Amino acid sequence: MVMKMRERIVVARTSGRADTAEQGSRLYDALCTALARRDAVVELDFQSITTATSSFANLAFVQLLTRWPLAELKHRLRVVNSTRQINEMIKSRLEREGSSGKAVA
């Protein structure tokens, strides 16, 4: 049995908030670094963040589809300490772009 390495990214420390494309870009960079470790399962901790905008989600998550397939991202990303709005924003943006076969940020 292969043990998966867990890596936690605290969004508030990485990007500050989840409001702007610039903040999303900072999180994207951290996610790429973590996901580059083939055995890593990445936990995204949204503690103290209550909302996320589509511009943040587009830059932070949709761009990931240019490097990893949607099925792999679903398997390797875990969102913790989050709100329903943030969960739905991430899920809808990834699934919409992942199912269309294109990744546009």
XYZ file of all heavy atoms in Angstrom:
822
model
N 0.839 -1.187 0.000
C 0.000 0.000 0.000
C 0.881 1.246 0.000
O 1.790 1.376 0.809
C -0.885 -0.026 1.255
C -1.848 1.103 1.307
S -3.117 0.753 2.525
C -2.835 2.085 3.636
N 0.600 2.154 -0.913
C 1.369 3.384 -1.029
C 0.724 4.456 -0.149
O -0.471 4.706 -0.246
C 1.422 3.869 -2.500
C 2.136 5.199 -2.596
C 2.064 2.823 -3.376
N 1.531 5.076 0.687
C 1.037 6.132 1.577
C 1.087 7.469 0.839
O 2.107 7.828 0.268
C 1.904 6.188 2.828
C 1.336 7.071 3.874
S -0.158 6.329 4.490
C 0.098 6.476 6.201
N -0.015 8.181 0.828
C -0.074 9.498 0.200
C 0.403 10.558 1.183
O 0.042 10.547 2.343
C -1.504 9.835 -0.229
C -2.037 8.957 -1.309
C -1.613 9.456 -2.629
C -2.262 8.640 -3.732
N -1.820 8.997 -5.016
N 1.217 11.458 0.692
C 1.685 12.572 1.505
C 0.591 13.642 1.534
O -0.004 13.959 0.505
C 2.970 13.139 0.894
C 3.529 14.318 1.650
S 5.047 14.942 0.932
C 4.422 15.743 -0.526
N 0.319 14.188 2.692
C -0.657 15.275 2.821
C 0.082 16.593 2.950
O 1.037 16.699 3.708
C -1.527 15.076 4.052
C -2.477 13.941 3.914
C -3.749 14.229 4.693
N -4.681 13.147 4.535
C -5.645 13.130 3.624
N -5.780 14.138 2.805
N -6.470 12.119 3.540
N -0.398 17.543 2.214
C 0.147 18.897 2.317
C -1.008 19.845 2.539
O -2.005 19.792 1.832
C 0.906 19.265 1.048
C 1.503 20.634 1.142
C 2.642 20.861 0.182
O 3.248 19.896 -0.289
O 2.911 22.030 -0.098
N -0.879 20.719 3.526
C -1.937 21.683 3.851
C -1.516 23.066 3.373
O -0.424 23.527 3.664
C -2.199 21.708 5.352
C -3.291 22.700 5.753
C -3.567 22.650 7.224
N -4.266 21.438 7.575
C -5.588 21.384 7.836
N -6.298 22.488 7.810
N -6.167 20.260 8.137
N -2.426 23.711 2.675
C -2.244 25.099 2.261
C -3.321 25.911 2.957
O -4.517 25.668 2.758
C -2.354 25.264 0.728
C -1.236 24.505 0.031
C -2.329 26.745 0.355
C -1.362 24.484 -1.483
N -2.909 26.855 3.779
C -3.848 27.748 4.455
C -4.040 28.960 3.549
O -3.109 29.746 3.338
C -3.331 28.154 5.853
C -4.308 29.116 6.525
C -3.104 26.908 6.712
N -5.225 29.069 2.999
C -5.500 30.089 1.988
C -5.242 31.488 2.530
O -4.640 32.318 1.838
C -6.937 29.935 1.444
C -7.257 31.034 0.443
C -7.113 28.561 0.806
N -5.644 31.772 3.750
C -5.448 33.110 4.324
C -3.971 33.477 4.392
O -3.607 34.640 4.204
C -6.078 33.194 5.713
N -3.106 32.514 4.638
C -1.665 32.796 4.679
C -1.064 32.916 3.282
O -0.112 33.662 3.075
C -0.917 31.678 5.420
C -1.001 31.799 6.905
C -0.034 30.831 7.569
N -0.746 30.174 8.644
C -0.692 28.897 8.933
N 0.075 28.092 8.245
N -1.388 28.406 9.926
N -1.612 32.166 2.342
C -1.060 32.126 0.988
C -1.504 33.315 0.143
O -0.700 33.932 -0.542
C -1.484 30.823 0.286
O -1.036 29.725 1.077
C -0.894 30.719 -1.100
N -2.809 33.615 0.199
C -3.328 34.669 -0.674
C -4.000 35.816 0.069
O -4.391 36.789 -0.548
C -4.313 34.070 -1.687
O -5.417 33.509 -1.042
N -4.143 35.694 1.358
C -4.788 36.743 2.140
C -6.288 36.549 2.223
O -6.822 36.289 3.280
N -6.956 36.645 1.082
C -8.405 36.458 0.995
C -8.705 35.680 -0.275
O -7.797 35.153 -0.893
C -9.109 37.812 1.012
C -8.868 38.575 2.324
C -9.638 39.871 2.429
N -11.031 39.749 2.065
C -12.024 39.503 2.927
N -11.775 39.362 4.200
N -13.273 39.422 2.514
N -9.958 35.657 -0.694
C -10.355 34.943 -1.907
C -11.254 35.835 -2.763
O -12.303 35.429 -3.227
C -11.071 33.646 -1.535
N -10.802 37.091 -2.935
C -11.627 38.099 -3.606
C -11.161 38.479 -5.009
O -11.984 38.867 -5.838
C -11.671 39.386 -2.767
C -12.280 39.159 -1.400
O -13.235 38.367 -1.292
O -11.795 39.766 -0.434
N -9.869 38.424 -5.275
C -9.351 38.973 -6.524
C -8.599 37.929 -7.349
O -8.172 36.891 -6.832
C -8.375 40.136 -6.253
O -7.189 39.614 -5.625
C -9.003 41.212 -5.370
N -8.417 38.242 -8.619
C -7.635 37.378 -9.501
C -6.190 37.285 -9.006
O -5.585 36.206 -9.068
C -7.687 37.917 -10.931
N -5.643 38.376 -8.508
C -4.269 38.360 -7.995
C -4.133 37.386 -6.820
O -3.166 36.636 -6.732
C -3.835 39.759 -7.559
C -2.412 39.809 -7.039
C -2.008 41.189 -6.553
O -2.514 42.191 -7.101
O -1.195 41.249 -5.635
N -5.103 37.388 -5.926
C -5.090 36.447 -4.804
C -5.223 35.013 -5.315
O -4.566 34.098 -4.817
C -6.216 36.776 -3.818
C -5.994 38.086 -3.100
C -7.252 38.626 -2.444
O -8.376 38.248 -2.785
N -7.062 39.542 -1.502
N -6.051 34.815 -6.316
C -6.196 33.497 -6.936
C -4.912 33.034 -7.578
O -4.551 31.853 -7.500
N -4.187 33.949 -8.190
C -2.913 33.613 -8.818
C -1.881 33.152 -7.790
O -1.121 32.213 -8.029
C -2.394 34.828 -9.597
O -1.197 34.511 -10.245
N -1.882 33.795 -6.623
C -0.958 33.377 -5.556
C -1.291 31.963 -5.079
O -0.398 31.141 -4.854
C -0.986 34.374 -4.397
C -0.284 35.685 -4.735
C 0.017 36.510 -3.505
N -1.168 36.961 -2.794
C -1.702 38.170 -2.906
N -1.152 39.064 -3.690
N -2.778 38.492 -2.218
N -2.586 31.674 -4.947
C -2.975 30.329 -4.531
C -2.639 29.318 -5.626
O -2.172 28.219 -5.335
C -4.461 30.271 -4.184
C -4.957 28.910 -3.705
C -4.178 28.431 -2.472
C -6.441 28.955 -3.420
N -2.854 29.680 -6.876
C -2.518 28.793 -7.999
C -1.046 28.388 -7.946
O -0.714 27.213 -8.104
C -2.835 29.492 -9.327
C -2.315 28.761 -10.527
C -2.991 27.647 -11.028
C -1.145 29.166 -11.168
C -2.508 26.963 -12.137
C -0.662 28.485 -12.267
C -1.346 27.387 -12.750
O -0.864 26.701 -13.846
N -0.166 29.344 -7.711
C 1.266 29.035 -7.624
C 1.545 28.029 -6.509
O 2.309 27.074 -6.697
C 2.088 30.306 -7.397
C 2.103 31.228 -8.607
O 1.806 30.769 -9.735
O 2.404 32.428 -8.416
N 0.914 28.223 -5.359
C 1.103 27.296 -4.233
C 0.538 25.915 -4.569
O 1.149 24.886 -4.240
C 0.446 27.857 -2.975
N -0.608 25.874 -5.226
C -1.196 24.597 -5.612
C -0.330 23.851 -6.611
O -0.149 22.635 -6.500
C -2.601 24.817 -6.201
C -3.699 25.137 -5.205
C -4.946 25.633 -5.926
C -4.005 23.919 -4.356
N 0.210 24.559 -7.583
C 1.080 23.912 -8.573
C 2.302 23.299 -7.908
O 2.695 22.178 -8.240
C 1.509 24.916 -9.649
S 0.201 25.286 -10.820
N 2.896 24.018 -6.981
C 4.060 23.499 -6.261
C 3.686 22.229 -5.502
O 4.402 21.228 -5.554
C 4.624 24.562 -5.302
O 5.025 25.696 -6.076
C 5.803 24.038 -4.520
N 2.567 22.267 -4.804
C 2.148 21.107 -4.016
C 1.749 19.926 -4.900
O 2.128 18.784 -4.633
C 0.991 21.503 -3.101
N 0.995 20.190 -5.962
C 0.544 19.113 -6.842
C 1.670 18.520 -7.677
O 1.551 17.393 -8.167
C -0.589 19.608 -7.741
C -1.915 19.877 -7.033
C -2.860 20.650 -7.952
C -2.552 18.565 -6.583
N 2.746 19.251 -7.833
C 3.895 18.732 -8.580
C 4.508 17.527 -7.870
O 5.165 16.699 -8.500
C 4.934 19.824 -8.791
N 4.293 17.432 -6.574
C 4.718 16.254 -5.812
C 3.704 15.158 -6.081
O 2.613 15.185 -5.551
C 4.814 16.581 -4.329
C 5.843 17.643 -4.048
C 5.856 17.973 -2.542
N 6.676 19.134 -2.306
C 6.219 20.376 -2.177
N 4.934 20.628 -2.237
N 7.052 21.376 -1.975
N 4.038 14.219 -6.897
C 3.100 13.230 -7.428
C 2.269 12.496 -6.386
O 1.147 12.103 -6.655
C 3.845 12.221 -8.279
C 4.446 12.962 -9.454
C 4.424 12.421 -10.712
N 3.783 11.933 -11.796
C 2.737 12.419 -12.422
N 2.092 13.412 -11.967
N 2.317 11.880 -13.524
N 2.791 12.280 -5.200
C 2.047 11.537 -4.185
C 1.284 12.434 -3.223
O 0.712 11.931 -2.262
C 3.005 10.644 -3.384
C 3.548 9.507 -4.226
O 2.883 9.133 -5.211
O 4.619 8.991 -3.907
N 1.274 13.723 -3.461
C 0.665 14.649 -2.505
C -0.851 14.726 -2.670
O -1.365 14.817 -3.775
C 1.267 16.039 -2.659
N -1.536 14.691 -1.535
C -2.942 15.058 -1.453
C -2.945 16.414 -0.756
O -2.381 16.566 0.322
C -3.755 14.030 -0.644
C -5.172 14.532 -0.412
C -3.762 12.692 -1.363
N -3.540 17.405 -1.396
C -3.457 18.772 -0.904
C -4.753 19.164 -0.210
O -5.835 19.069 -0.784
C -3.161 19.752 -2.064
C -3.059 21.177 -1.558
C -1.890 19.341 -2.805
N -4.625 19.595 1.045
C -5.754 20.129 1.799
C -5.705 21.648 1.728
O -4.711 22.253 2.108
C -5.677 19.701 3.263
C -6.011 18.269 3.495
C -6.055 17.917 4.968
O -5.630 18.733 5.815
O -6.496 16.811 5.254
N -6.788 22.227 1.230
C -6.921 23.681 1.178
C -7.757 24.119 2.364
O -8.937 23.790 2.450
C -7.624 24.112 -0.102
C -6.838 23.946 -1.372
C -7.731 24.210 -2.561
C -5.673 24.893 -1.376
N -7.160 24.860 3.258
C -7.825 25.285 4.481
C -8.319 26.723 4.308
O -7.527 27.654 4.187
C -6.848 25.189 5.649
C -7.503 25.428 6.988
O -8.595 26.047 7.038
O -6.917 24.995 7.991
N -9.642 26.891 4.272
C -10.256 28.200 4.083
C -10.684 28.835 5.403
O -11.540 29.718 5.410
C -11.468 28.087 3.148
C -11.101 28.095 1.694
C -10.796 26.912 1.038
C -11.057 29.274 0.975
C -10.463 26.902 -0.307
C -10.721 29.289 -0.364
C -10.420 28.090 -1.012
N -10.094 28.404 6.503
C -10.475 28.963 7.805
C -10.365 30.485 7.781
O -9.387 31.037 7.280
C -9.592 28.398 8.910
C -10.069 28.808 10.279
C -9.375 28.026 11.380
O -8.543 27.182 11.133
N -9.743 28.318 12.609
N -11.358 31.159 8.292
C -11.506 32.616 8.404
C -11.863 33.293 7.082
O -11.998 34.510 7.038
C -10.264 33.277 9.031
O -9.228 33.421 8.087
N -12.057 32.528 6.024
C -12.491 33.089 4.740
C -13.918 32.607 4.509
O -14.186 31.407 4.567
C -11.555 32.667 3.594
C -10.166 33.255 3.835
C -12.118 33.111 2.246
C -9.137 32.850 2.825
N -14.833 33.543 4.245
C -16.245 33.168 4.148
C -16.798 33.164 2.733
O -17.834 32.552 2.489
C -17.107 34.106 5.014
O -16.897 35.456 4.601
C -16.748 33.954 6.495
N -16.148 33.858 1.794
C -16.624 33.881 0.409
C -15.442 33.828 -0.554
O -14.312 34.167 -0.196
C -17.430 35.165 0.102
O -16.574 36.299 0.285
C -18.659 35.284 0.976
N -15.755 33.422 -1.774
C -14.757 33.424 -2.856
C -15.449 33.938 -4.115
O -16.599 33.594 -4.386
C -14.213 32.018 -3.095
N -14.747 34.755 -4.871
C -15.304 35.290 -6.115
C -14.947 34.388 -7.288
O -14.028 33.577 -7.221
C -14.755 36.697 -6.402
O -13.339 36.604 -6.630
C -15.053 37.665 -5.259
N -15.687 34.560 -8.389
C -15.386 33.766 -9.583
C -14.017 34.121 -10.149
O -13.317 33.244 -10.656
C -16.479 33.929 -10.640
O -16.584 35.272 -11.038
N -13.593 35.372 -10.045
C -12.263 35.728 -10.564
C -11.168 35.031 -9.755
O -10.172 34.566 -10.321
C -12.050 37.243 -10.594
O -12.170 37.801 -9.310
N -11.350 34.921 -8.442
C -10.409 34.175 -7.615
C -10.395 32.703 -8.026
O -9.339 32.111 -8.249
C -10.794 34.304 -6.137
C -10.012 33.408 -5.223
C -8.766 33.802 -4.748
C -10.496 32.167 -4.847
C -8.028 32.970 -3.913
C -9.777 31.336 -4.010
C -8.539 31.734 -3.546
N -11.579 32.098 -8.138
C -11.675 30.675 -8.480
C -11.115 30.382 -9.863
O -10.446 29.366 -10.065
C -13.126 30.213 -8.386
N -11.368 31.273 -10.811
C -10.833 31.064 -12.159
C -9.313 31.003 -12.147
O -8.716 30.109 -12.751
C -11.293 32.170 -13.103
C -12.733 32.044 -13.490
O -13.356 31.006 -13.314
N -13.293 33.125 -14.002
N -8.686 31.950 -11.483
C -7.221 31.983 -11.462
C -6.639 30.881 -10.598
O -5.624 30.287 -10.944
C -6.709 33.347 -10.991
C -6.414 34.369 -12.083
C -5.187 34.027 -12.870
C -7.574 34.637 -12.994
N -7.264 30.590 -9.474
C -6.708 29.598 -8.550
C -6.943 28.172 -9.022
O -6.049 27.326 -8.877
C -7.319 29.777 -7.154
N -8.093 27.879 -9.594
C -8.462 26.492 -9.854
C -8.615 26.127 -11.323
O -8.138 25.074 -11.740
C -9.758 26.150 -9.109
C -9.624 26.339 -7.630
C -10.202 27.431 -7.004
C -8.902 25.448 -6.866
C -10.073 27.625 -5.634
C -8.757 25.636 -5.496
C -9.335 26.718 -4.885
N -9.271 26.952 -12.117
C -9.532 26.587 -13.508
C -8.230 26.395 -14.275
O -8.104 25.457 -15.072
C -10.458 27.622 -14.189
C -10.600 27.332 -15.675
C -11.820 27.625 -13.508
N -7.248 27.223 -14.006
C -5.953 27.080 -14.688
C -5.292 25.727 -14.407
O -4.492 25.251 -15.208
C -4.983 28.177 -14.243
C -5.261 29.527 -14.815
C -4.105 30.447 -14.517
O -3.254 30.638 -15.365
N -4.050 30.985 -13.310
N -5.620 25.122 -13.274
C -5.044 23.810 -12.944
C -5.388 22.766 -14.003
O -4.649 21.812 -14.222
C -5.530 23.332 -11.573
C -5.094 24.151 -10.369
C -5.802 23.649 -9.114
C -3.584 24.099 -10.189
N -6.526 22.963 -14.685
C -6.964 22.011 -15.697
C -6.048 21.966 -16.917
O -6.119 21.023 -17.702
C -8.404 22.328 -16.125
C -9.456 22.148 -15.034
C -10.778 22.769 -15.459
C -9.620 20.674 -14.689
N -5.192 22.952 -17.067
C -4.227 22.917 -18.175
C -3.060 21.983 -17.847
O -2.313 21.601 -18.741
C -3.684 24.321 -18.510
O -2.951 24.826 -17.390
C -4.809 25.278 -18.888
N -2.928 21.609 -16.571
C -1.807 20.762 -16.138
C -2.239 19.400 -15.613
O -1.458 18.454 -15.662
C -1.004 21.490 -15.070
C -0.408 22.800 -15.605
C 0.351 23.536 -14.564
N 1.604 22.843 -14.281
C 2.523 23.293 -13.451
N 2.319 24.431 -12.814
N 3.625 22.631 -13.237
N -3.452 19.322 -15.052
C -3.948 18.077 -14.466
C -5.383 17.843 -14.908
O -6.175 18.785 -14.970
C -3.906 18.131 -12.935
C -2.521 18.170 -12.390
C -1.684 17.104 -12.191
C -1.779 19.324 -11.985
N -0.473 17.538 -11.687
C -0.502 18.892 -11.545
C -2.064 20.682 -11.947
C 0.466 19.762 -11.078
C -1.095 21.557 -11.493
C 0.151 21.096 -11.061
N -5.749 16.592 -15.174
C -7.149 16.305 -15.528
C -8.075 16.493 -14.328
O -7.654 16.350 -13.175
C -7.125 14.846 -15.984
C -5.826 14.279 -15.552
C -4.895 15.415 -15.236
N -9.336 16.786 -14.607
C -10.318 17.027 -13.560
C -10.395 15.850 -12.591
O -10.455 16.046 -11.378
C -11.697 17.301 -14.177
C -12.836 17.558 -13.197
C -12.535 18.750 -12.299
C -14.138 17.760 -13.962
N -10.383 14.625 -13.092
C -10.479 13.446 -12.219
C -9.331 13.408 -11.215
O -9.532 13.071 -10.041
C -10.496 12.174 -13.049
N -8.136 13.766 -11.643
C -6.996 13.774 -10.727
C -7.140 14.879 -9.681
O -6.850 14.676 -8.499
C -5.681 13.952 -11.494
C -4.471 13.906 -10.586
C -3.143 13.940 -11.325
O -3.110 13.790 -12.560
O -2.119 14.122 -10.640
N -7.598 16.054 -10.097
C -7.792 17.143 -9.142
C -8.838 16.772 -8.099
O -8.660 17.053 -6.917
C -8.189 18.428 -9.871
C -7.109 19.042 -10.754
C -7.674 20.224 -11.536
C -5.891 19.448 -9.949
N -9.915 16.119 -8.520
C -10.940 15.690 -7.566
C -10.365 14.704 -6.552
O -10.754 14.695 -5.392
C -12.115 15.046 -8.294
C -13.015 16.036 -8.981
C -14.160 15.298 -9.640
C -15.169 16.231 -10.247
N -16.310 15.497 -10.824
N -9.457 13.881 -6.999
C -8.848 12.872 -6.132
C -7.805 13.461 -5.181
O -7.657 13.001 -4.054
C -8.211 11.786 -7.005
C -7.568 10.692 -6.243
N -8.272 9.750 -5.531
C -6.267 10.394 -6.065
C -7.427 8.927 -4.949
N -6.207 9.292 -5.251
N -7.097 14.498 -5.622
C -5.946 14.999 -4.872
C -6.182 16.283 -4.097
O -5.344 16.680 -3.298
C -4.763 15.193 -5.828
C -4.307 13.851 -6.419
C -3.126 14.006 -7.320
N -1.997 14.545 -6.586
C -0.997 15.195 -7.171
N -0.983 15.404 -8.472
N 0.003 15.655 -6.452
N -7.282 16.975 -4.328
C -7.579 18.215 -3.606
C -8.686 17.988 -2.581
O -9.721 17.401 -2.906
C -8.027 19.325 -4.561
C -6.982 19.936 -5.472
C -7.637 20.966 -6.401
C -5.864 20.569 -4.684
N -8.482 18.489 -1.385
C -9.485 18.444 -0.325
C -9.669 19.863 0.198
O -8.688 20.541 0.507
C -9.032 17.563 0.840
C -8.731 16.145 0.471
C -10.013 15.350 0.275
N -9.722 13.984 -0.107
C -9.692 13.533 -1.355
N -9.933 14.362 -2.350
N -9.436 12.281 -1.625
N -10.908 20.297 0.296
C -11.212 21.628 0.826
C -11.739 21.433 2.247
O -12.678 20.671 2.465
C -12.246 22.357 -0.059
C -12.626 23.690 0.547
C -11.696 22.529 -1.476
N -11.109 22.122 3.202
C -11.504 21.997 4.603
C -11.777 23.383 5.183
O -11.304 24.392 4.656
C -10.424 21.261 5.452
C -10.234 19.839 4.934
C -9.110 22.011 5.461
N -12.537 23.403 6.278
C -12.884 24.657 6.966
C -13.445 25.687 5.992
O -13.035 26.847 5.987
C -11.668 25.225 7.703
C -11.196 24.306 8.792
O -11.993 23.735 9.515
N -9.897 24.133 8.902
N -14.381 25.242 5.192
C -14.914 26.068 4.120
C -16.414 26.283 4.296
O -17.067 25.605 5.088
C -14.636 25.367 2.789
O -15.101 26.132 1.714
N -16.951 27.213 3.515
C -18.390 27.460 3.502
C -19.012 26.797 2.281
O -18.319 26.433 1.323
C -18.688 28.974 3.433
O -18.215 29.476 2.177
C -18.037 29.729 4.587
N -20.313 26.663 2.312
C -21.026 26.099 1.160
C -20.776 26.939 -0.098
O -20.598 26.406 -1.190
C -22.521 26.029 1.451
C -23.316 25.507 0.267
C -24.761 25.413 0.592
N -24.928 24.294 1.504
C -26.097 23.800 1.838
N -27.192 24.337 1.377
N -26.181 22.778 2.657
N -20.758 28.264 0.047
C -20.542 29.143 -1.115
C -19.177 28.880 -1.748
O -19.068 28.782 -2.967
C -20.661 30.619 -0.698
C -20.587 31.605 -1.853
C -19.172 32.061 -2.227
O -18.256 32.030 -1.424
N -19.012 32.479 -3.467
N -18.150 28.751 -0.939
C -16.808 28.488 -1.472
C -16.764 27.115 -2.134
O -16.248 26.966 -3.249
C -15.745 28.611 -0.358
C -15.619 30.074 0.088
C -14.390 28.067 -0.826
C -14.771 30.283 1.327
N -17.317 26.120 -1.472
C -17.338 24.769 -2.050
C -18.032 24.761 -3.407
O -17.528 24.172 -4.365
C -18.045 23.790 -1.109
C -17.294 23.564 0.170
O -16.105 23.850 0.272
N -17.989 23.044 1.165
N -19.189 25.395 -3.487
C -19.944 25.436 -4.744
C -19.207 26.219 -5.827
O -19.241 25.836 -6.995
C -21.340 26.014 -4.518
C -22.257 25.074 -3.775
C -22.477 23.764 -4.514
O -22.687 23.781 -5.740
O -22.436 22.708 -3.844
N -18.563 27.312 -5.441
C -17.808 28.102 -6.416
C -16.692 27.258 -7.031
O -16.524 27.205 -8.252
C -17.223 29.353 -5.751
C -16.330 30.189 -6.663
S -17.163 30.911 -8.083
C -18.257 32.046 -7.256
N -15.909 26.598 -6.209
C -14.804 25.772 -6.703
C -15.337 24.632 -7.572
O -14.870 24.418 -8.691
C -13.972 25.218 -5.522
C -13.278 26.361 -4.781
C -12.949 24.200 -6.023
C -12.684 25.958 -3.439
N -16.320 23.932 -7.051
C -16.875 22.781 -7.772
C -17.468 23.191 -9.124
O -17.182 22.571 -10.145
C -17.939 22.106 -6.907
C -18.556 20.897 -7.545
C -19.591 20.275 -6.624
C -20.274 19.119 -7.313
N -21.343 18.548 -6.491
N -18.276 24.235 -9.126
C -18.933 24.627 -10.373
C -17.933 25.106 -11.414
O -18.048 24.767 -12.589
C -20.003 25.688 -10.124
O -19.431 26.914 -9.738
N -16.933 25.874 -10.992
C -15.941 26.378 -11.960
C -15.113 25.228 -12.534
O -14.887 25.156 -13.731
C -15.027 27.421 -11.317
C -15.718 28.700 -10.883
C -16.468 29.413 -12.017
N -15.557 29.722 -13.099
C -15.826 29.547 -14.400
N -16.979 29.060 -14.796
N -14.930 29.852 -15.312
N -14.665 24.310 -11.694
C -13.869 23.175 -12.184
C -14.698 22.261 -13.080
O -14.238 21.862 -14.154
C -13.291 22.376 -11.015
C -12.060 22.951 -10.353
C -11.675 22.124 -9.136
C -10.888 23.028 -11.323
N -15.899 21.938 -12.654
C -16.712 21.017 -13.444
C -17.157 21.630 -14.758
O -17.172 20.956 -15.778
C -17.897 20.515 -12.628
C -17.448 19.540 -11.559
C -18.582 18.937 -10.749
O -19.736 19.418 -10.858
O -18.293 17.990 -10.001
N -17.503 22.903 -14.745
C -17.921 23.567 -15.991
C -16.781 23.562 -16.997
O -16.956 23.195 -18.146
C -18.384 24.991 -15.724
C -18.909 25.687 -16.982
C -19.431 27.077 -16.704
N -20.386 27.061 -15.605
C -20.449 27.997 -14.661
N -19.623 29.010 -14.684
N -21.328 27.928 -13.703
N -15.601 23.970 -16.570
C -14.470 24.038 -17.492
C -13.894 22.656 -17.796
O -13.465 22.399 -18.906
C -13.378 24.953 -16.929
C -13.810 26.394 -16.787
C -14.265 27.047 -18.079
O -13.725 26.721 -19.162
O -15.186 27.888 -18.016
N -13.889 21.771 -16.789
C -13.341 20.431 -16.988
C -14.173 19.598 -17.928
O -13.652 18.834 -18.734
N -15.494 19.748 -17.894
C -16.358 18.964 -18.759
C -16.406 19.528 -20.174
O -16.762 18.824 -21.105
C -17.766 18.887 -18.176
O -18.367 20.158 -18.160
N -16.040 20.798 -20.329
C -16.079 21.392 -21.674
C -14.832 21.062 -22.480
O -14.772 21.325 -23.662
C -16.242 22.913 -21.583
O -15.059 23.503 -21.092
N -13.826 20.510 -21.794
C -12.591 20.150 -22.480
C -11.651 21.317 -22.689
O -10.644 21.209 -23.354
N -11.990 22.471 -22.135
C -11.117 23.636 -22.262
C -10.908 24.227 -20.887
O -11.700 24.031 -19.977
C -11.734 24.679 -23.190
C -13.051 25.212 -22.691
C -13.642 26.253 -23.607
C -15.000 26.627 -23.022
N -15.520 27.835 -23.492
N -9.824 24.920 -20.745
C -9.539 25.586 -19.465
C -9.222 27.031 -19.753
O -8.153 27.371 -20.216
C -8.381 24.911 -18.754
N -10.194 27.887 -19.508
C -10.032 29.307 -19.769
C -10.157 30.039 -18.453
O -11.119 29.865 -17.729
C -11.099 29.830 -20.749
C -10.939 31.312 -20.987
C -11.054 29.065 -22.052
N -9.173 30.843 -18.141
C -9.217 31.585 -16.874
C -9.727 32.977 -17.097
O -9.676 33.521 -18.146
C -7.848 31.632 -16.249
